[in-house]
Amino acid sequence: MTGFLTRRVPACVLSDAAAPSVRDGHAVDRFVEIGSLTKVVTGTLLTRLAAAGALSLDDPLERWLPDAPPTGITLLHLARHTSGLPRLPPGVGHRDPYAAFDRPALHGLLPRLDTLATRPPGQEEEYSNFGYALLGEALTAAGGAGYEELAAEHVLRPLNITEVTARPDPERRLTAPGLFGRTRRPWTMDGAILPAGGLWATPRAAADLVVRLLVERRFGDPAPSWQRSGVLHWHNGATRDASLFGGATDDGRWVLIHRLNARPAETDRAGVDTLKRSRTAP
């Protein structure tokens, strides 16, 4: 577990190469925001519920959320970001953008989905947090339980991963320092947006997620939420104060990087560079 970073920021790097690399107070056992790596949990939950016969990947969204009009959008479209829906739900704020986006707000948008879509489903990929919020709500309807309960039952416990939650103990949270070193309050991400990017995990648990889903393939082929670039399956994540990159190559090399106060594009590059360096390492 080792890595390469482009500039000095609080960071934790884990990979298949050597021991963990920890910089400037980061740690493998503190809970950090994993941002859109949450989508990997949501997409895996979708495939697990499909394998259990609780739903079909090609179910139309309105089967599980009947307030939505027929749009042609399926659960798989949502997982693959090909639903035609915009990146963000309408009406999000700025200071704490998802604070008001609770489940009633999500359900209030359902009758308007046919007017909110920017293109027909299945034609083109457009990354959508809004789509994953809808997917998570549909999964709770199909699974008959809350999102965290379903994720734990069908994804995390079978993988023997415990350090993942939407609401970690504040004493174990690691957040980026703000002005004059004061603690910055994280965005509110435990409402309807949770399935798109609201989970917290220890870097150790996030790395376990990457390894057990992509290297060990404990559930078979990776879920459609993973991005694919050549021999690399990967996903990244970003919140106001943190960025993350996790992925694995077809030959079993893997990396997980979490950084505080770092630009997401730099974290992505650091992850890819780490994998390249591991290929040439003796």
Side-chain angles (χ1 to χ4, degrees), residues 59-149:
D59 281 345
L61 179 61
E62 64 268 19
R63 176 183 177 186
W64 300 108
L65 301 180
D67 288 340
T71 59
I73 296 172
T74 68
L75 302 185
L76 188 57
H77 287 143
L78 295 170
R80 288 179 170 169
H81 299 288
T82 57
S83 66
L85 292 170
R87 181 182 184 92
L88 300 175
V92 297
H94 296 285
R95 184 180 298 274
D96 191 357
Y98 299 107
F101 187 56
D102 54 15
R103 292 183 67 199
L106 182 148
H107 279 266
L109 293 172
L110 291 178
R112 299 171 49 198
L113 287 187
D114 54 347
T115 63
L116 294 175
T118 59
R119 59 179 60 86
Q123 289 190 355
E124 193 175 332
E125 182 175 330
E126 181 178 358
Y127 193 88
S128 179
N129 286 334
F130 183 29
Y132 260 80
L134 293 167
L135 177 59
E137 189 69 7
L139 296 181
T140 65
Y147 174 78
E148 282 194 272
E149 181 180 345

Side-chain angles (χ1 to χ4, degrees), residues 32-39 42 98 147-148 164-168 187-201 239:
V32 296
E33 295 175 290
I34 64 170
S36 285
L37 191 67
T38 303
K39 291 181 175 71
T42 303
Y98 299 107
Y147 174 78
E148 282 194 272
V164 178
T165 180
R167 301 166 192 83
W187 283 345
T188 303
M189 299 284 290
D190 58 358
I193 203 66
L194 171 59
L199 288 176
W200 295 64
T239 62

